[in-house]
Amino acid sequence: MRFLLPILIGTLLVILWWTNPEDEQFTSFLVDEVVTIVGDLGEDAGRATGGALGFLTERLGRAAGEAAGTVAGRAASQEFERSNYGIASTYTLDLNGRASGGEWTFLGVAGQFVPIKEPENLETLVRGILSGR
């Protein structure tokens, strides 16, 4: 009975080590995140036109936003910094270069990504990536 707790803790650590996400998984996750953000921006822009064609412009805006988001996400995914701690990793993406306040940080653990730090002006920074800064 007294060996049960160390065995359970050891098993948990091995599972966390085994499922620690790799760079490719984060790249895919980041592209999906940027596609969602930019798709929402495109849909909002389409919705703002309103009128009888509002529904159509929403959908076209989302599609254009998702296409642009895919390109921007792939570009941004080349710029992240990974810190590997064995059972978990942190991924930091600096969206505004050397200026402060643009760090977007995620914790990668058990095959999942959890945002730790998000810039206040995330949508503005993503728009900057789209425009090529």
PDB file of all heavy atoms in Angstrom, residues 69-104:
ATOM      1  N   GLY A  69      -6.239  34.338 -42.380  1.00  0.00           N
ATOM      2  CA  GLY A  69      -5.778  33.833 -41.092  1.00  0.00           C
ATOM      3  C   GLY A  69      -4.857  32.642 -41.235  1.00  0.00           C
ATOM      4  O   GLY A  69      -3.907  32.482 -40.458  1.00  0.00           O
ATOM      5  N   THR A  70      -5.106  31.793 -42.209  1.00  0.00           N
ATOM      6  CA  THR A  70      -4.242  30.647 -42.447  1.00  0.00           C
ATOM      7  C   THR A  70      -2.836  31.112 -42.820  1.00  0.00           C
ATOM      8  O   THR A  70      -1.846  30.615 -42.285  1.00  0.00           O
ATOM      9  CB  THR A  70      -4.820  29.748 -43.561  1.00  0.00           C
ATOM     10  OG1 THR A  70      -6.109  29.300 -43.161  1.00  0.00           O
ATOM     11  CG2 THR A  70      -3.942  28.561 -43.841  1.00  0.00           C
ATOM     12  N   VAL A  71      -2.766  32.090 -43.696  1.00  0.00           N
ATOM     13  CA  VAL A  71      -1.461  32.621 -44.108  1.00  0.00           C
ATOM     14  C   VAL A  71      -0.772  33.297 -42.927  1.00  0.00           C
ATOM     15  O   VAL A  71       0.413  33.066 -42.658  1.00  0.00           O
ATOM     16  CB  VAL A  71      -1.637  33.607 -45.288  1.00  0.00           C
ATOM     17  CG1 VAL A  71      -0.331  34.308 -45.609  1.00  0.00           C
ATOM     18  CG2 VAL A  71      -2.168  32.874 -46.506  1.00  0.00           C
ATOM     19  N   ALA A  72      -1.514  34.133 -42.204  1.00  0.00           N
ATOM     20  CA  ALA A  72      -0.930  34.849 -41.060  1.00  0.00           C
ATOM     21  C   ALA A  72      -0.520  33.888 -39.956  1.00  0.00           C
ATOM     22  O   ALA A  72       0.529  34.048 -39.326  1.00  0.00           O
ATOM     23  CB  ALA A  72      -1.929  35.866 -40.514  1.00  0.00           C
ATOM     24  N   GLY A  73      -1.323  32.867 -39.716  1.00  0.00           N
ATOM     25  CA  GLY A  73      -0.994  31.885 -38.689  1.00  0.00           C
ATOM     26  C   GLY A  73       0.262  31.113 -39.025  1.00  0.00           C
ATOM     27  O   GLY A  73       1.100  30.863 -38.153  1.00  0.00           O
ATOM     28  N   ARG A  74       0.418  30.752 -40.271  1.00  0.00           N
ATOM     29  CA  ARG A  74       1.647  30.047 -40.679  1.00  0.00           C
ATOM     30  C   ARG A  74       2.863  30.937 -40.541  1.00  0.00           C
ATOM     31  O   ARG A  74       3.929  30.492 -40.124  1.00  0.00           O
ATOM     32  CB  ARG A  74       1.501  29.534 -42.101  1.00  0.00           C
ATOM     33  CG  ARG A  74       0.575  28.351 -42.196  1.00  0.00           C
ATOM     34  CD  ARG A  74       0.642  27.661 -43.534  1.00  0.00           C
ATOM     35  NE  ARG A  74      -0.307  26.567 -43.558  1.00  0.00           N
ATOM     36  CZ  ARG A  74      -1.151  26.346 -44.536  1.00  0.00           C
ATOM     37  NH1 ARG A  74      -1.163  27.134 -45.581  1.00  0.00           N
ATOM     38  NH2 ARG A  74      -1.985  25.333 -44.481  1.00  0.00           N
ATOM     39  N   ALA A  75       2.696  32.209 -40.878  1.00  0.00           N
ATOM     40  CA  ALA A  75       3.825  33.146 -40.735  1.00  0.00           C
ATOM     41  C   ALA A  75       4.175  33.328 -39.260  1.00  0.00           C
ATOM     42  O   ALA A  75       5.347  33.310 -38.881  1.00  0.00           O
ATOM     43  CB  ALA A  75       3.471  34.485 -41.363  1.00  0.00           C
ATOM     44  N   ALA A  76       3.165  33.484 -38.417  1.00  0.00           N
ATOM     45  CA  ALA A  76       3.402  33.695 -36.986  1.00  0.00           C
ATOM     46  C   ALA A  76       3.967  32.450 -36.328  1.00  0.00           C
ATOM     47  O   ALA A  76       4.748  32.538 -35.381  1.00  0.00           O
ATOM     48  CB  ALA A  76       2.105  34.109 -36.299  1.00  0.00           C
ATOM     49  N   SER A  77       3.589  31.295 -36.829  1.00  0.00           N
ATOM     50  CA  SER A  77       4.036  30.055 -36.191  1.00  0.00           C
ATOM     51  C   SER A  77       5.533  29.807 -36.361  1.00  0.00           C
ATOM     52  O   SER A  77       6.102  28.965 -35.677  1.00  0.00           O
ATOM     53  CB  SER A  77       3.245  28.862 -36.727  1.00  0.00           C
ATOM     54  OG  SER A  77       3.583  28.606 -38.074  1.00  0.00           O
ATOM     55  N   GLN A  78       6.164  30.559 -37.236  1.00  0.00           N
ATOM     56  CA  GLN A  78       7.609  30.425 -37.414  1.00  0.00           C
ATOM     57  C   GLN A  78       8.390  31.239 -36.379  1.00  0.00           C
ATOM     58  O   GLN A  78       9.607  31.131 -36.298  1.00  0.00           O
ATOM     59  CB  GLN A  78       8.008  30.876 -38.822  1.00  0.00           C
ATOM     60  CG  GLN A  78       7.299  30.127 -39.930  1.00  0.00           C
ATOM     61  CD  GLN A  78       7.535  28.632 -39.875  1.00  0.00           C
ATOM     62  OE1 GLN A  78       8.651  28.186 -39.689  1.00  0.00           O
ATOM     63  NE2 GLN A  78       6.474  27.857 -40.012  1.00  0.00           N
ATOM     64  N   GLU A  79       7.694  32.046 -35.595  1.00  0.00           N
ATOM     65  CA  GLU A  79       8.344  33.000 -34.709  1.00  0.00           C
ATOM     66  C   GLU A  79       8.227  32.674 -33.223  1.00  0.00           C
ATOM     67  O   GLU A  79       8.632  33.471 -32.398  1.00  0.00           O
ATOM     68  CB  GLU A  79       7.742  34.398 -34.953  1.00  0.00           C
ATOM     69  CG  GLU A  79       7.853  34.877 -36.374  1.00  0.00           C
ATOM     70  CD  GLU A  79       9.289  35.059 -36.833  1.00  0.00           C
ATOM     71  OE1 GLU A  79      10.118  35.485 -36.016  1.00  0.00           O
ATOM     72  OE2 GLU A  79       9.564  34.772 -38.000  1.00  0.00           O
ATOM     73  N   PHE A  80       7.687  31.543 -32.850  1.00  0.00           N
ATOM     74  CA  PHE A  80       7.474  31.274 -31.427  1.00  0.00           C
ATOM     75  C   PHE A  80       8.734  30.719 -30.769  1.00  0.00           C
ATOM     76  O   PHE A  80       9.639  30.223 -31.423  1.00  0.00           O
ATOM     77  CB  PHE A  80       6.291  30.325 -31.198  1.00  0.00           C
ATOM     78  CG  PHE A  80       6.504  28.927 -31.678  1.00  0.00           C
ATOM     79  CD1 PHE A  80       7.116  27.988 -30.864  1.00  0.00           C
ATOM     80  CD2 PHE A  80       6.078  28.532 -32.928  1.00  0.00           C
ATOM     81  CE1 PHE A  80       7.310  26.696 -31.295  1.00  0.00           C
ATOM     82  CE2 PHE A  80       6.257  27.244 -33.372  1.00  0.00           C
ATOM     83  CZ  PHE A  80       6.881  26.316 -32.554  1.00  0.00           C
ATOM     84  N   GLU A  81       8.764  30.845 -29.449  1.00  0.00           N
ATOM     85  CA  GLU A  81       9.874  30.318 -28.654  1.00  0.00           C
ATOM     86  C   GLU A  81       9.314  29.270 -27.703  1.00  0.00           C
ATOM     87  O   GLU A  81       8.356  29.523 -26.979  1.00  0.00           O
ATOM     88  CB  GLU A  81      10.515  31.455 -27.865  1.00  0.00           C
ATOM     89  CG  GLU A  81      11.685  31.015 -27.033  1.00  0.00           C
ATOM     90  CD  GLU A  81      12.289  32.188 -26.284  1.00  0.00           C
ATOM     91  OE1 GLU A  81      12.483  33.249 -26.899  1.00  0.00           O
ATOM     92  OE2 GLU A  81      12.546  32.025 -25.082  1.00  0.00           O
ATOM     93  N   ARG A  82       9.923  28.100 -27.698  1.00  0.00           N
ATOM     94  CA  ARG A  82       9.461  27.008 -26.848  1.00  0.00           C
ATOM     95  C   ARG A  82      10.434  26.791 -25.699  1.00  0.00           C
ATOM     96  O   ARG A  82      11.641  26.751 -25.894  1.00  0.00           O
ATOM     97  CB  ARG A  82       9.358  25.710 -27.652  1.00  0.00           C
ATOM     98  CG  ARG A  82       8.917  24.529 -26.815  1.00  0.00           C
ATOM     99  CD  ARG A  82       8.878  23.257 -27.629  1.00  0.00           C
ATOM    100  NE  ARG A  82       8.321  22.171 -26.839  1.00  0.00           N
ATOM    101  CZ  ARG A  82       8.666  20.915 -26.991  1.00  0.00           C
ATOM    102  NH1 ARG A  82       9.533  20.564 -27.909  1.00  0.00           N
ATOM    103  NH2 ARG A  82       8.125  19.994 -26.238  1.00  0.00           N
ATOM    104  N   SER A  83       9.865  26.634 -24.504  1.00  0.00           N
ATOM    105  CA  SER A  83      10.648  26.234 -23.335  1.00  0.00           C
ATOM    106  C   SER A  83      10.113  24.882 -22.891  1.00  0.00           C
ATOM    107  O   SER A  83       8.954  24.769 -22.481  1.00  0.00           O
ATOM    108  CB  SER A  83      10.501  27.251 -22.201  1.00  0.00           C
ATOM    109  OG  SER A  83      10.981  28.501 -22.593  1.00  0.00           O
ATOM    110  N   ASN A  84      10.945  23.853 -22.999  1.00  0.00           N
ATOM    111  CA  ASN A  84      10.537  22.488 -22.690  1.00  0.00           C
ATOM    112  C   ASN A  84      10.927  22.140 -21.258  1.00  0.00           C
ATOM    113  O   ASN A  84      12.096  22.236 -20.890  1.00  0.00           O
ATOM    114  CB  ASN A  84      11.194  21.522 -23.671  1.00  0.00           C
ATOM    115  CG  ASN A  84      10.699  20.102 -23.510  1.00  0.00           C
ATOM    116  OD1 ASN A  84       9.891  19.786 -22.651  1.00  0.00           O
ATOM    117  ND2 ASN A  84      11.201  19.230 -24.371  1.00  0.00           N
ATOM    118  N   TYR A  85       9.940  21.738 -20.467  1.00  0.00           N
ATOM    119  CA  TYR A  85      10.182  21.357 -19.078  1.00  0.00           C
ATOM    120  C   TYR A  85       9.981  19.855 -18.855  1.00  0.00           C
ATOM    121  O   TYR A  85       9.785  19.422 -17.734  1.00  0.00           O
ATOM    122  CB  TYR A  85       9.260  22.152 -18.142  1.00  0.00           C
ATOM    123  CG  TYR A  85       9.471  23.637 -18.285  1.00  0.00           C
ATOM    124  CD1 TYR A  85       8.553  24.418 -18.966  1.00  0.00           C
ATOM    125  CD2 TYR A  85      10.599  24.247 -17.761  1.00  0.00           C
ATOM    126  CE1 TYR A  85       8.754  25.770 -19.113  1.00  0.00           C
ATOM    127  CE2 TYR A  85      10.807  25.604 -17.908  1.00  0.00           C
ATOM    128  CZ  TYR A  85       9.875  26.360 -18.583  1.00  0.00           C
ATOM    129  OH  TYR A  85      10.079  27.705 -18.734  1.00  0.00           O
ATOM    130  N   GLY A  86      10.026  19.088 -19.911  1.00  0.00           N
ATOM    131  CA  GLY A  86       9.892  17.639 -19.806  1.00  0.00           C
ATOM    132  C   GLY A  86       8.446  17.184 -19.785  1.00  0.00           C
ATOM    133  O   GLY A  86       7.998  16.499 -20.680  1.00  0.00           O
ATOM    134  N   ILE A  87       7.700  17.562 -18.760  1.00  0.00           N
ATOM    135  CA  ILE A  87       6.298  17.136 -18.647  1.00  0.00           C
ATOM    136  C   ILE A  87       5.340  18.190 -19.181  1.00  0.00           C
ATOM    137  O   ILE A  87       4.147  17.931 -19.319  1.00  0.00           O
ATOM    138  CB  ILE A  87       5.926  16.775 -17.190  1.00  0.00           C
ATOM    139  CG1 ILE A  87       6.104  17.974 -16.275  1.00  0.00           C
ATOM    140  CG2 ILE A  87       6.734  15.586 -16.712  1.00  0.00           C
ATOM    141  CD1 ILE A  87       5.556  17.771 -14.879  1.00  0.00           C
ATOM    142  N   ALA A  88       5.844  19.371 -19.493  1.00  0.00           N
ATOM    143  CA  ALA A  88       5.047  20.464 -20.050  1.00  0.00           C
ATOM    144  C   ALA A  88       5.986  21.410 -20.786  1.00  0.00           C
ATOM    145  O   ALA A  88       7.198  21.370 -20.597  1.00  0.00           O
ATOM    146  CB  ALA A  88       4.302  21.208 -18.945  1.00  0.00           C
ATOM    147  N   SER A  89       5.421  22.255 -21.617  1.00  0.00           N
ATOM    148  CA  SER A  89       6.195  23.239 -22.359  1.00  0.00           C
ATOM    149  C   SER A  89       5.439  24.562 -22.372  1.00  0.00           C
ATOM    150  O   SER A  89       4.214  24.575 -22.296  1.00  0.00           O
ATOM    151  CB  SER A  89       6.422  22.795 -23.804  1.00  0.00           C
ATOM    152  OG  SER A  89       7.179  21.611 -23.852  1.00  0.00           O
ATOM    153  N   THR A  90       6.185  25.650 -22.482  1.00  0.00           N
ATOM    154  CA  THR A  90       5.555  26.942 -22.715  1.00  0.00           C
ATOM    155  C   THR A  90       5.959  27.416 -24.103  1.00  0.00           C
ATOM    156  O   THR A  90       7.079  27.174 -24.551  1.00  0.00           O
ATOM    157  CB  THR A  90       5.952  27.999 -21.663  1.00  0.00           C
ATOM    158  OG1 THR A  90       7.369  28.153 -21.668  1.00  0.00           O
ATOM    159  CG2 THR A  90       5.466  27.619 -20.281  1.00  0.00           C
ATOM    160  N   TYR A  91       5.016  28.049 -24.757  1.00  0.00           N
ATOM    161  CA  TYR A  91       5.227  28.575 -26.098  1.00  0.00           C
ATOM    162  C   TYR A  91       4.905  30.057 -26.045  1.00  0.00           C
ATOM    163  O   TYR A  91       3.806  30.445 -25.661  1.00  0.00           O
ATOM    164  CB  TYR A  91       4.304  27.882 -27.105  1.00  0.00           C
ATOM    165  CG  TYR A  91       4.558  26.405 -27.215  1.00  0.00           C
ATOM    166  CD1 TYR A  91       3.977  25.511 -26.326  1.00  0.00           C
ATOM    167  CD2 TYR A  91       5.381  25.902 -28.210  1.00  0.00           C
ATOM    168  CE1 TYR A  91       4.217  24.152 -26.419  1.00  0.00           C
ATOM    169  CE2 TYR A  91       5.620  24.544 -28.314  1.00  0.00           C
ATOM    170  CZ  TYR A  91       5.029  23.684 -27.416  1.00  0.00           C
ATOM    171  OH  TYR A  91       5.270  22.344 -27.515  1.00  0.00           O
ATOM    172  N   THR A  92       5.867  30.894 -26.444  1.00  0.00           N
ATOM    173  CA  THR A  92       5.676  32.339 -26.419  1.00  0.00           C
ATOM    174  C   THR A  92       5.833  32.887 -27.827  1.00  0.00           C
ATOM    175  O   THR A  92       6.807  32.593 -28.511  1.00  0.00           O
ATOM    176  CB  THR A  92       6.690  33.015 -25.479  1.00  0.00           C
ATOM    177  OG1 THR A  92       6.553  32.448 -24.174  1.00  0.00           O
ATOM    178  CG2 THR A  92       6.461  34.506 -25.408  1.00  0.00           C
ATOM    179  N   LEU A  93       4.868  33.672 -28.222  1.00  0.00           N
ATOM    180  CA  LEU A  93       4.877  34.321 -29.527  1.00  0.00           C
ATOM    181  C   LEU A  93       4.822  35.820 -29.278  1.00  0.00           C
ATOM    182  O   LEU A  93       3.913  36.309 -28.613  1.00  0.00           O
ATOM    183  CB  LEU A  93       3.669  33.862 -30.341  1.00  0.00           C
ATOM    184  CG  LEU A  93       3.506  34.430 -31.731  1.00  0.00           C
ATOM    185  CD1 LEU A  93       4.648  33.963 -32.622  1.00  0.00           C
ATOM    186  CD2 LEU A  93       2.186  33.997 -32.327  1.00  0.00           C
ATOM    187  N   ASP A  94       5.809  36.550 -29.786  1.00  0.00           N
ATOM    188  CA  ASP A  94       5.848  38.003 -29.621  1.00  0.00           C
ATOM    189  C   ASP A  94       5.251  38.629 -30.876  1.00  0.00           C
ATOM    190  O   ASP A  94       5.861  38.600 -31.941  1.00  0.00           O
ATOM    191  CB  ASP A  94       7.286  38.465 -29.401  1.00  0.00           C
ATOM    192  CG  ASP A  94       7.368  39.893 -28.922  1.00  0.00           C
ATOM    193  OD1 ASP A  94       6.303  40.537 -28.774  1.00  0.00           O
ATOM    194  OD2 ASP A  94       8.481  40.362 -28.684  1.00  0.00           O
ATOM    195  N   LEU A  95       4.056  39.199 -30.734  1.00  0.00           N
ATOM    196  CA  LEU A  95       3.328  39.699 -31.891  1.00  0.00           C
ATOM    197  C   LEU A  95       3.718  41.109 -32.324  1.00  0.00           C
ATOM    198  O   LEU A  95       3.339  41.536 -33.401  1.00  0.00           O
ATOM    199  CB  LEU A  95       1.820  39.663 -31.605  1.00  0.00           C
ATOM    200  CG  LEU A  95       1.239  38.272 -31.392  1.00  0.00           C
ATOM    201  CD1 LEU A  95      -0.229  38.365 -31.021  1.00  0.00           C
ATOM    202  CD2 LEU A  95       1.412  37.408 -32.626  1.00  0.00           C
ATOM    203  N   ASN A  96       4.437  41.849 -31.478  1.00  0.00           N
ATOM    204  CA  ASN A  96       4.785  43.213 -31.880  1.00  0.00           C
ATOM    205  C   ASN A  96       6.282  43.490 -31.777  1.00  0.00           C
ATOM    206  O   ASN A  96       6.697  44.582 -31.454  1.00  0.00           O
ATOM    207  CB  ASN A  96       3.990  44.241 -31.072  1.00  0.00           C
ATOM    208  CG  ASN A  96       4.305  44.220 -29.606  1.00  0.00           C
ATOM    209  OD1 ASN A  96       4.999  43.337 -29.127  1.00  0.00           O
ATOM    210  ND2 ASN A  96       3.772  45.175 -28.877  1.00  0.00           N
ATOM    211  N   GLY A  97       7.065  42.501 -32.061  1.00  0.00           N
ATOM    212  CA  GLY A  97       8.511  42.693 -32.061  1.00  0.00           C
ATOM    213  C   GLY A  97       9.067  42.928 -30.676  1.00  0.00           C
ATOM    214  O   GLY A  97       8.706  42.241 -29.738  1.00  0.00           O
ATOM    215  N   ARG A  98       9.900  43.905 -30.552  1.00  0.00           N
ATOM    216  CA  ARG A  98      10.572  44.147 -29.273  1.00  0.00           C
ATOM    217  C   ARG A  98       9.786  45.038 -28.332  1.00  0.00           C
ATOM    218  O   ARG A  98      10.174  45.208 -27.193  1.00  0.00           O
ATOM    219  CB  ARG A  98      11.937  44.751 -29.525  1.00  0.00           C
ATOM    220  CG  ARG A  98      12.813  43.768 -30.251  1.00  0.00           C
ATOM    221  CD  ARG A  98      14.178  44.306 -30.432  1.00  0.00           C
ATOM    222  NE  ARG A  98      14.943  43.280 -31.151  1.00  0.00           N
ATOM    223  CZ  ARG A  98      16.227  43.171 -31.072  1.00  0.00           C
ATOM    224  NH1 ARG A  98      16.910  43.995 -30.338  1.00  0.00           N
ATOM    225  NH2 ARG A  98      16.845  42.236 -31.746  1.00  0.00           N
ATOM    226  N   ALA A  99       8.701  45.619 -28.782  1.00  0.00           N
ATOM    227  CA  ALA A  99       7.879  46.455 -27.897  1.00  0.00           C
ATOM    228  C   ALA A  99       7.187  45.567 -26.868  1.00  0.00           C
ATOM    229  O   ALA A  99       6.876  44.405 -27.119  1.00  0.00           O
ATOM    230  CB  ALA A  99       6.844  47.224 -28.704  1.00  0.00           C
ATOM    231  N   SER A 100       6.966  46.121 -25.695  1.00  0.00           N
ATOM    232  CA  SER A 100       6.347  45.318 -24.640  1.00  0.00           C
ATOM    233  C   SER A 100       4.846  45.201 -24.857  1.00  0.00           C
ATOM    234  O   SER A 100       4.232  46.008 -25.540  1.00  0.00           O
ATOM    235  CB  SER A 100       6.625  45.947 -23.274  1.00  0.00           C
ATOM    236  OG  SER A 100       6.009  47.207 -23.199  1.00  0.00           O
ATOM    237  N   GLY A 101       4.272  44.188 -24.251  1.00  0.00           N
ATOM    238  CA  GLY A 101       2.824  44.011 -24.280  1.00  0.00           C
ATOM    239  C   GLY A 101       2.286  43.167 -25.410  1.00  0.00           C
ATOM    240  O   GLY A 101       1.083  43.020 -25.537  1.00  0.00           O
ATOM    241  N   GLY A 102       3.126  42.596 -26.222  1.00  0.00           N
ATOM    242  CA  GLY A 102       2.641  41.808 -27.344  1.00  0.00           C
ATOM    243  C   GLY A 102       2.884  40.321 -27.205  1.00  0.00           C
ATOM    244  O   GLY A 102       2.730  39.565 -28.155  1.00  0.00           O
ATOM    245  N   GLU A 103       3.243  39.867 -26.006  1.00  0.00           N
ATOM    246  CA  GLU A 103       3.549  38.451 -25.816  1.00  0.00           C
ATOM    247  C   GLU A 103       2.265  37.646 -25.646  1.00  0.00           C
ATOM    248  O   GLU A 103       1.405  37.982 -24.855  1.00  0.00           O
ATOM    249  CB  GLU A 103       4.443  38.248 -24.591  1.00  0.00           C
ATOM    250  CG  GLU A 103       5.830  38.819 -24.727  1.00  0.00           C
ATOM    251  CD  GLU A 103       5.874  40.296 -24.411  1.00  0.00           C
ATOM    252  OE1 GLU A 103       4.969  40.787 -23.724  1.00  0.00           O
ATOM    253  OE2 GLU A 103       6.808  40.960 -24.866  1.00  0.00           O
ATOM    254  N   TRP A 104       2.187  36.561 -26.391  1.00  0.00           N
ATOM    255  CA  TRP A 104       1.059  35.630 -26.326  1.00  0.00           C
ATOM    256  C   TRP A 104       1.672  34.305 -25.895  1.00  0.00           C
ATOM    257  O   TRP A 104       2.427  33.687 -26.640  1.00  0.00           O
ATOM    258  CB  TRP A 104       0.422  35.543 -27.696  1.00  0.00           C
ATOM    259  CG  TRP A 104      -0.958  34.980 -27.746  1.00  0.00           C
ATOM    260  CD1 TRP A 104      -1.793  34.719 -26.707  1.00  0.00           C
ATOM    261  CD2 TRP A 104      -1.676  34.634 -28.936  1.00  0.00           C
ATOM    262  NE1 TRP A 104      -2.982  34.226 -27.169  1.00  0.00           N
ATOM    263  CE2 TRP A 104      -2.936  34.170 -28.532  1.00  0.00           C
ATOM    264  CE3 TRP A 104      -1.376  34.673 -30.280  1.00  0.00           C
ATOM    265  CZ2 TRP A 104      -3.898  33.738 -29.434  1.00  0.00           C
ATOM    266  CZ3 TRP A 104      -2.333  34.245 -31.176  1.00  0.00           C
ATOM    267  CH2 TRP A 104      -3.585  33.789 -30.754  1.00  0.00           C
TER     268      TRP A 104
END
